[in-house]
Amino acid sequence: MVVSTRATAERNESPDPASHASNVYDVEGADADWVDEEEDDDMDFEPTRESSEDVAFLESIEDDDEDFHDAADGLSGVDIEISMSDVERAVEAEDDGDETETGGDGVPAANAPVQVSRNQLLQLLGHAGLRRIFANHRGPTLRAVADEDDENENDDDGIDAGYDGSGVRRKRRSKRAKVKFPAVPSEEGRSLMESGTFGSNEYYKDMLKKKKPGVARRLMDRELGINPGQTRRTNRLISQSLIPSSNADTIIHYDSRCYSGQFSDDGNFFFSCAQDFKVRMYDTSNPYKWKYYKTVVYPYGQWTITDATLSPDNKYLAYSSIRSVVCLAPTDPGETGEPYLLDFSDMGSRRGLRRGYGGYTHFGIWSIRFSGDGKEIVAGTSDHSVYVYDIESRQSILKIPGHSDDVNAVCFGDTSSPHILYSGSDDTLIKVWDRRSMGDSREAGVFMGHTEGLTYVDSKGDGRYVLSNGKDQMMKLWDLRKMMPTEKASELDPGRFTTGFDYRYMSFSEQDYTPHPHDCSLVTFRGHRVLKTLIRCHFSPPGSTDSRYVYTGSEDGKVYIYNMDATLAGKVDVNRATHHSRPRNLDLYTASYAMDDHRSASEWKTCVRDASWHPSAPVIAATSWNGWGMSTGTCTTHTWNDGAEADEGEPKMGTRVDQTLEHDEDLYKEPERLRSRGYLRSRLRSQRVAATDEDDDGENGW
């Protein structure tokens, strides 16, 4: 059977080719292949100036009586023709009983086109296999696996046989076969909890009531002097039991999506990064009553601020965008000058530290971290490399091209030493680098176990334990002593165990999961959703929780808190706490990129991208994409309140403030009714005209 495809579709291009990467499929050459330009995993949406995708999206909607159009309506310019031989057509007619097109003598006409409806085409494209063929066609691990397929042709046990080299499943799982997820509770995690490395354990249990003593009982025992030799342990047990609740004390609203936010190590400082290329700083010396501190800007940023890191002495803040330049700004409110620009592409040929709005765009930076001594910054980049920048010498002193895909996360292994580095990549691997023994430019070891790309890596700071979040919807705990040796890792192809799942637009099916045969992780945590964006995870701090938990954001609008044995310790429901906490602003929505379709403008959605646990108080600050159509952002503070729904103190629970912590009456207005789609189009056109006028005047408009 010969299948030929003819499709014509309009492609929306970005106004600035350097602003984002694109995949272009070349059909002109004999060996048609994907042309992969520097791909941008975290650019879920793309800002525009003239040829806006939002405009094309809105203008493609017909003003009729229907509430919305299905995605199939966008395929009006696509038709498929299938050429069949006479014999094939006769077999089709005999098997399916369908009427066939015939020639004048009753014989099926040769090469007669068979029309396929748009719905049928969508069903075809909806199959994960076809999507993943295209998703992995650009991958470095694409190779022929005909021999392996032949070896598995005779397997009839119905159990999934894994993945072939292109990331496509070789066999379908039988209906009776069950997905082999790691057991919960985890025996390894339980051993870690009992060892005392992660929190304190109960020394007393009420055998009559068959339950552990509560916070009130522990406080009473401590004040009465019961078990005086256990006072320190009692204090730790009390602190680790104070898990913040879902009710928000304060809701800080931003007019753009929030990408990250973290407390300083001493808890006196908090910063949040937003898509408007601004980092806002707050004084949190009183964690229950914040004060606005300062705002710094990334000049000429691309798409968003991707990450930020605070120096150990809290004097400088480094923040990055999808460029090779990192901004370094003093946190002192008296310092109002432009930030220093650190060019990570400078390996010694020019001065890399200067003030001004210059810089180069050789690659984008996804993740940055200060070293424990504050002298270096490590960065993970879109050119599949890890860079180490020396602030004193004003240049990058080390480049490690150690991955085959974007490096989405980096961190130092030990706060007291800059020698051990961790890097997590879209190639599904976490690599360990020892800068003292890199004569051959090879990693010291590899953590293998994720079946999709990494979104974040966090170190406990003890040089031993590492935590990672993956697009396979799993968070994993690793032990440096159990990493895979480089020699063994080099013999394995990580592309064999991945499906090419696109976390930005696709939903993850558990039926598509196959356990990694070489998983060397200690504990696997499941339940949260790593979709839409690079969602982050962390160890809970030793001061306020005795390092008892690990926690992560989630696409479903919650913060998930896990015990070390993979059981769920608690959840902070940010979506419920902030639901309809600001009126619908059509100006903000039309200026944003719709996540799914135009219906998302009428829905309140929340995606918690990052969360930070205060180091000495039971407070969690969650930074989120949050609002109507997920077009705005919030930073919410959640404290332990023993389940109370209201608070007699000040500020009141659920207080809504703007980005500078000022009270705004507009935030308490009822949501505005969504207007017609024609109104949205006209508002967006007017904004484009206004933006063009500003650009003509020479003003900055990122």
Side-chain angles (χ1 to χ4, degrees):
M1 180 181 295
V2 181
V3 181
S4 62
T5 311
R6 183 173 66 248
T8 58
E10 180 179 357
R11 176 184 176 90
N12 292 322
E13 298 292 345
S14 169
D16 182 9
S19 68
H20 68 282
S22 62
N23 287 332
V24 183
Y25 188 67
D26 182 13
V27 297
E28 299 294 334
D31 297 325
D33 198 3
W34 284 100
V35 179
D36 183 14
E37 302 174 2
E38 215 175 336
E39 185 175 342
D40 180 358
D41 261 355
D42 203 21
M43 290 185 60
D44 311 90
F45 317 105
E46 302 173 6
T48 56
R49 295 192 297 270
E50 297 180 1
S51 302
S52 172
E53 293 183 354
D54 295 81
V55 176
F57 167 73
L58 292 171
E59 291 181 348
S60 65
I61 302 174
E62 298 292 339
D63 285 326
D64 52 24
D65 296 333
E66 297 180 5
D67 293 335
F68 66 94
H69 288 282
D70 189 76
D73 294 339
L75 298 173
S76 57
V78 180
D79 62 303
I80 294 181
E81 293 184 3
I82 303 178
S83 300
M84 296 182 176
S85 65
D86 295 346
V87 176
E88 290 170 336
R89 187 172 301 279
V91 172
E92 289 286 337
E94 180 178 353
D95 291 344
D96 299 335
D98 297 335
E99 294 182 3
T100 58
E101 189 174 343
T102 61
D105 54 358
V107 179
N111 300 325
V114 175
Q115 298 297 328
V116 180
S117 68
R118 293 192 299 272
N119 289 336
Q120 291 173 324
L121 180 59
L122 284 174
Q123 291 176 2
L124 173 64
L125 295 178
H127 284 78
L130 186 58
R131 285 178 178 268
R132 289 162 186 164
I133 288 175
F134 288 109
N136 286 274
H137 195 277
R138 63 175 178 82
T141 62
L142 183 63
R143 56 190 176 85
V145 289
D147 293 339
E148 297 184 22
D149 290 337
D150 293 339
E151 292 176 2
N152 291 287
E153 283 180 353
N154 295 327
D155 295 342
D156 56 358
D157 54 4
I159 303 300
D160 185 89
Y163 306 96
D164 61 24
S166 61
V168 181
R169 221 170 262 290
R170 292 197 297 268
K171 296 189 68 177
R172 297 291 297 176
R173 189 188 308 275
S174 68
K175 294 183 179 179
R176 292 180 297 176
K178 295 183 179 180
V179 179
K180 300 295 184 181
F181 288 111
V184 177
S186 166
E187 293 297 330
E188 187 73 29
R190 178 63 63 181
S191 299
L192 290 174
M193 295 174 66
E194 294 174 352
S195 68
T197 304
F198 293 93
S200 300
N201 300 296
E202 297 289 344
Y203 58 88
Y204 166 77
K205 185 175 182 179
D206 191 334
M207 300 306 295
L208 295 177
K209 296 182 179 180
K210 300 293 183 181
K211 65 178 183 179
K212 302 175 183 178
V215 175
R217 174 62 182 273
R218 290 196 181 105
L219 289 172
M220 183 184 69
D221 290 349
R222 186 182 67 179
E223 296 304 316
L224 294 177
I226 299 176
N227 297 322
Q230 300 291 340
T231 302
R232 180 176 298 179
R233 177 184 288 187
T234 299
N235 291 336
R236 291 198 296 261
L237 288 170
I238 291 174
S239 64
Q240 73 185 30
S241 63
L242 305 181
I243 297 178
S245 67
S246 293
N247 297 323
D249 284 26
T250 305
I251 305 173
I252 306 174
H253 282 281
Y254 299 86
D255 291 339
S256 58
R257 300 184 184 97
C258 281
Y259 272 70
S260 64
Q262 287 292 306
F263 286 106
S264 61
D265 291 339
D266 58 9
N268 294 327
F269 193 91
F270 182 86
F271 63 85
S272 63
C273 307
Q275 200 173 4
D276 58 2
F277 302 103
K278 295 180 180 179
V279 183
R280 290 150 179 106
M281 309 179 198
Y282 303 94
D283 178 2
T284 57
S285 53
N286 181 351
Y288 302 99
K289 191 173 182 179
W290 294 16
K291 297 179 181 179
Y292 172 71
Y293 200 68
K294 182 182 180 181
T295 296
V296 294
V297 181
Y298 191 112
Y300 296 110
Q302 183 170 317
W303 182 240
T304 186
I305 291 180
T306 55
D307 201 4
T309 180
L310 195 64
S311 63
D313 57 7
N314 293 354
K315 291 184 178 180
Y316 288 94
L317 181 76
Y319 49 104
S320 61
S321 185
I322 310 176
R323 297 168 64 92
S324 62
V325 174
V326 170
C327 290
L328 184 67
T331 59
D332 187 349
E335 292 270 356
T336 59
E338 298 172 354
Y340 294 100
L341 303 182
L342 314 180
D343 185 6
F344 275 58
S345 65
D346 180 8
M347 299 295 294
S349 60
R350 58 183 179 276
R351 303 293 283 180
L353 178 62
R354 58 186 183 279
R355 288 185 182 268
Y357 291 150
Y360 300 85
T361 57
H362 299 296
F363 49 81
I365 295 178
W366 301 122
S367 178
I368 55 174
R369 285 293 175 274
F370 260 108
S371 61
D373 56 11
K375 297 180 180 180
E376 297 176 338
I377 300 176
V378 61
T381 67
S382 61
D383 68 346
H384 311 170
S385 302
V386 177
Y387 288 80
V388 178
Y389 191 94
D390 183 79
I391 298 177
E392 184 177 356
S393 65
R394 306 180 182 182
Q395 67 184 26
S396 292
I397 58 175
L398 179 63
K399 176 184 178 181
I400 310 173
H403 288 275
S404 59
D405 212 328
D406 287 8
V407 179
N408 295 326
V410 291
C411 66
F412 287 93
D414 192 339
T415 55
S416 61
S417 173
H419 299 302
I420 304 298
L421 301 174
Y422 300 118
S423 60
S425 169
D426 272 332
D427 61 12
T428 74
L429 301 179
I430 302 174
K431 293 192 175 183
V432 184
W433 309 92
D434 188 344
R435 297 168 59 186
R436 297 165 296 186
S437 58
M438 290 189 60
D440 56 356
S441 300
R442 299 179 66 187
E443 64 273 12
V446 176
F447 291 130
M448 187 177 293
H450 281 290
T451 58
E452 306 294 344
L454 278 295
T455 65
Y456 198 73
V457 174
D458 186 38
S459 172
K460 192 173 183 291
D462 57 359
R464 178 172 173 182
Y465 292 106
V466 188
L467 188 69
S468 64
N469 231 2
K471 299 172 186 177
D472 54 5
Q473 316 304 301
M474 296 184 185
M475 181 169 61
K476 288 181 177 289
L477 178 69
W478 315 82
D479 188 339
L480 189 65
R481 300 173 302 175
K482 297 185 178 182
M483 64 182 180
M484 183 179 294
T486 303
E487 293 74 16
K488 180 179 179 180
S490 62
E491 299 174 354
L492 301 174
D493 179 10
R496 285 178 46 81
F497 315 111
T498 184
T499 64
F501 166 71
D502 192 333
Y503 75 115
R504 296 171 298 177
Y505 311 113
M506 299 172 63
S507 60
F508 188 85
S509 173
E510 292 185 350
Q511 296 301 320
D512 288 336
Y513 172 74
T514 294
H516 200 297
H518 304 284
D519 189 356
C520 59
S521 63
L522 294 180
V523 187
T524 298
F525 307 87
R526 293 179 56 249
H528 59 291
R529 291 159 58 178
V530 185
L531 301 170
K532 304 296 185 186
T533 183
L534 300 177
I535 292 176
R536 305 185 168 197
C537 61
H538 303 278
F539 289 96
S540 65
S544 56
T545 69
D546 201 18
S547 303
R548 187 66 168 181
Y549 312 107
V550 292
Y551 62 101
T552 174
S554 178
E555 186 267 345
D556 61 4
K558 300 179 179 67
V559 178
Y560 284 76
I561 303 169
Y562 296 97
N563 294 306
M564 300 311 299
D565 62 355
T567 58
L568 189 64
K571 285 191 292 188
V572 177
D573 194 339
V574 179
N575 180 275
R576 180 173 68 85
T578 61
H579 195 64
H580 291 188
S581 59
R582 73 180 299 168
R584 182 185 289 107
N585 189 322
L586 297 177
D587 291 332
L588 294 178
Y589 173 70
T590 54
S592 69
Y593 189 100
M595 290 289 295
D596 301 311
D597 52 36
H598 66 277
R599 287 175 294 169
S600 61
S602 61
E603 299 177 2
W604 184 280
K605 295 184 179 180
T606 306
C607 173
V608 181
R609 195 178 190 274
D610 196 9
S612 181
W613 206 314
H614 193 277
S616 58
V619 177
I620 286 181
T623 46
S624 312
W625 297 0
N626 201 359
W628 300 100
M630 214 183 291
S631 57
T632 54
T634 61
C635 176
T636 54
T637 59
H638 306 262
T639 64
W640 178 84
N641 53 23
D642 203 17
E645 295 295 333
D647 193 356
E648 297 179 356
E650 293 292 340
K652 297 293 185 181
M653 275 189 181
T655 299
R656 309 173 191 178
V657 296
D658 64 12
Q659 300 155 111
T660 59
L661 304 184
E662 295 293 332
H663 178 76
D664 189 349
E665 288 292 341
D666 292 339
L667 295 174
Y668 290 87
K669 293 180 179 179
E670 291 297 323
E672 181 181 358
R673 183 178 180 181
L674 185 63
R675 304 186 187 182
S676 65
R677 287 163 296 197
Y679 174 79
L680 294 176
R681 289 201 300 270
S682 63
R683 293 295 295 271
L684 185 55
R685 291 193 186 99
S686 64
Q687 290 175 2
R688 290 179 61 206
V689 172
T692 303
D693 293 341
E694 289 181 359
D695 292 342
D696 293 340
D697 293 339
E699 298 183 7
N700 298 329
W702 54 77

